[in-house]
Amino acid sequence: MSNIEPMKSLSRILFSALTILILSLLIFCRNEEDAWITDLEDAVFTEINAVRSENGVSALSLNQDLADFARAHSRDMALRGYFSHTTPDDKSFEDRINESGISHTLAGENIYMRWGDNFDESVDDLAVTVVDAWFNSEEHKGIMLNNDFNRGGVGCYQGDSALYVTFTVIQQ
């Protein structure tokens, strides 16, 4: 029986070490993904301001509450499997922004979705692709270039099969 005790101890140690290793890898991978998403959010916001500048429109100030609001909508679309300004439980953009408590006199939202989970282009090139897609739509272009808007935020979420990007802008 004395030979069993050291084996149990060794098994516990190996199990604990393996658990720590797996958790460390998961945290590292999640941090890498989070960094990529944050870099993409920053790049899209920067590209929006570049397009605004090229068109004689003043730059937006980054508002973290708007970025969090946009990220929450991107996440919701990914997790609940829809692509719309209106949620499956029929909450419109206006409903969502008003319920958020974010003070505003005017608000707008652009959304983007791209199928896939592995993108070959750089974060900056992907940001240009997103903003170009919006720029090629009169309604979305109008939201990006509306000089009445002065604050904005971008939120992204990588779902299992698609990337979601939401741009929320307000006049405050």
Side-chain angles (χ1 to χ4, degrees):
M1 215 151 149
S2 61
N3 288 340
I4 294 175
E5 289 305 315
M7 293 301 271
K8 283 184 178 179
S9 293
L10 181 59
S11 293
R12 285 186 193 124
I13 291 169
L14 288 174
F15 178 76
S16 296
L18 185 58
T19 301
I20 291 169
L21 177 64
I22 290 170
L23 289 174
S24 298
L25 287 172
L26 289 173
I27 290 168
F28 174 77
C29 291
R30 183 65 189 170
N31 287 340
E32 288 292 311
E33 181 179 315
D34 289 347
W36 182 83
I37 290 292
T38 301
D39 290 348
L40 181 58
E41 290 169 345
D42 292 344
V44 170
F45 191 79
T46 298
E47 184 64 20
I48 290 167
N49 272 333
V51 167
R52 286 173 65 93
S53 177
E54 290 167 6
N55 287 275
V57 180
S58 59
L60 297 167
S61 296
L62 178 62
N63 179 296
Q64 192 58 50
D65 289 339
L66 289 173
D68 293 343
F69 175 83
R71 190 175 308 108
H73 187 59
S74 290
R75 182 178 186 276
D76 188 55
M77 288 189 293
L79 295 180
R80 296 208 282 169
Y82 70 98
F83 179 67
S84 176
H85 299 282
T86 302
T87 67
D89 48 342
D90 209 33
K91 285 190 179 183
S92 67
F93 166 68
E94 291 80 13
D95 295 333
R96 291 184 291 106
I97 193 80
N98 290 334
E99 289 174 7
S100 75
I102 297 171
S103 175
H104 64 281
T105 55
L106 183 66
E109 178 180 71
N110 287 350
I111 57 176
Y112 174 91
M113 181 186 73
R114 179 166 165 188
W115 292 108
D117 58 6
N118 188 11
F119 304 106
D120 293 335
E121 69 264 59
S122 70
V123 166
D124 290 335
D125 289 344
L126 183 53
V128 169
T129 298
V130 171
V131 174
D132 282 351
W134 289 331
F135 197 77
N136 289 321
S137 158
E138 287 304 314
E139 183 178 351
H140 295 97
K141 178 180 176 180
I143 290 171
M144 282 195 312
L145 299 182
N146 186 332
N147 206 30
D148 291 334
F149 293 132
N150 55 9
R151 303 206 189 315
V154 173
C156 303
Y157 191 85
Q158 175 66 54
D160 290 337
S161 60
L163 170 69
Y164 296 81
V165 181
T166 303
F167 166 56
T168 306
V169 64
I170 63 169
Q171 179 184 51
Q172 192 173 44

